[in-house]
Amino acid sequence: NDQPVAIHAASKYRLEFDNLLREHLSKGLSFQAFAGVAEVNHDTLYQWVKRYSSFREAKEEATEKGRLHWEDMGYAAAVGRVPNFNTVVWIFTMKNRFGWRDRHEVKNLAEGEEFGEAVTHDKIMSYIEGKKF
């Protein structure tokens, strides 16, 4: 199944794409953008992942190198090694590319435990509307 020329003559897949994909993703670039390198539609890349195990393995390995690239960049910026670093763009990238989320903590009350003061509909609406209690 991994013989692209003999079995899938119509496919544009070539074995050298495995290493090109590794290089591409290791730079922190997206998998979908590799379609521009391979000169195919990004849907074709997903077909190749299903069809060619070496391409799938290259994607899996290099995706983690891409994550390392972005985390190294954030670390370097955090310790002052990157002048004029755009933190907002970096955070946006991490959230969208790697599933990072802001952590929201919710306090669970034990049965019978109450909030320090009564929570009423009016207080909730005031909070939503930005009013002070």
Side-chain angles (χ1 to χ4, degrees):
N1 200 13
D2 284 346
Q3 299 173 352
V5 176
I7 295 176
H8 305 285
S11 178
K12 293 183 178 183
Y13 173 79
R14 298 188 316 263
L15 285 175
E16 60 259 29
F17 284 153
D18 296 358
N19 285 330
L20 289 173
L21 179 63
R22 282 185 175 93
E23 291 173 27
H24 178 85
L25 294 176
S26 295
K27 295 175 189 174
L29 300 170
S30 72
F31 177 66
Q32 292 82 358
F34 186 72
V37 174
E39 298 180 347
V40 296
N41 181 294
H42 69 271
D43 291 335
T44 300
L45 298 179
Y46 291 103
Q47 292 172 7
W48 291 352
V49 165
K50 291 177 186 176
R51 187 176 292 164
Y52 307 113
S53 62
S54 63
F55 191 74
R56 179 175 51 255
E57 290 169 10
K59 178 185 183 285
E60 290 169 357
E61 293 167 9
T63 295
E64 297 310 317
K65 288 183 180 179
R67 180 190 314 265
L68 178 61
H69 169 85
W70 282 99
E71 288 188 17
D72 281 345
M73 183 189 310
Y75 174 80
V79 297
R81 292 189 210 143
V82 182
N84 303 316
F85 185 74
N86 190 326
T87 306
V88 174
V89 170
W90 184 80
I91 291 170
F92 184 80
T93 298
M94 298 309 288
K95 286 181 175 185
N96 285 286
R97 296 272 309 276
F98 304 109
W100 285 26
R101 300 286 173 256
D102 294 328
R103 187 164 85 182
H104 300 278
E105 294 187 28
V106 177
K107 180 181 179 190
N108 291 322
L109 298 177
E111 188 173 337
E113 186 179 3
E114 296 181 14
F115 285 102
E117 56 183 89
V119 177
T120 65
H121 179 271
D122 290 337
K123 285 187 179 180
I124 292 170
M125 293 309 296
S126 293
Y127 179 81
I128 291 170
E129 296 169 358
K131 299 176 183 172
K132 294 187 177 187
F133 298 127

